[in-house]
Amino acid sequence: QVQLIESGGGLVQAGDSLRLSCAASGRTFSNYVMDWFRQAPGKDRELIARISRAGGSTYYSDSVKGRFTISRDKAKNTVYLQMNSLKPEDTAVYYCAADRGYVSESVAPSSISSWGQGTQVTVSS
């Protein structure tokens, strides 16, 4: 099972950018689709981005499409989430997840192998 550690969160102003990182332990990083979720206070956890095992396919939710970019570095066992043009509604705890599924399919809870601990992103207006 891969272990995940997120970093890069913080407090920024609307319109700013942040890059989140999710470092994975173990040699099986490339076996997983990698997902980014977020959870705002009082709301359900929301899937916002996915990237395929080889990095050639991605998915974005409508709420972040055109502003966020997911990428992965096989050599560093790390997945990134570049967040541009941040809005106050992007405020949430952001989690990465290792997913046994496929980008072309819906995420099933049973397909998530590991979760990171989360990193807080706060966007002030």
Side-chain angles (χ1 to χ4, degrees), residues 6-66:
E6 298 104 335
S7 61
L11 172 63
V12 297
Q13 294 186 331
D16 285 351
S17 298
L18 273 178
R19 188 177 78 159
L20 304 183
S21 299
C22 173
S25 64
R27 296 176 291 177
T28 61
F29 175 67
S30 60
N31 289 350
Y32 297 95
V33 166
M34 296 300 296
D35 303 330
W36 283 100
F37 290 78
R38 68 185 180 187
Q39 188 165 21
K43 295 188 176 181
D44 293 335
R45 192 167 295 190
E46 173 192 16
L47 172 67
I48 58 171
R50 310 182 75 193
I51 188 165
S52 62
R53 291 165 177 80
S57 297
T58 57
Y59 160 84
Y60 298 96
S61 67
D62 288 344
S63 59
V64 307
K65 193 177 297 181

Side-chain angles (χ1 to χ4, degrees), residues 84-104:
N84 298 331
S85 303
L86 283 161
K87 305 175 181 179
E89 51 263 45
D90 294 318
T91 295
V93 178
Y94 284 69
Y95 300 89
C96 64
D99 187 341
R100 291 186 292 261
Y102 296 89
V103 172
S104 59

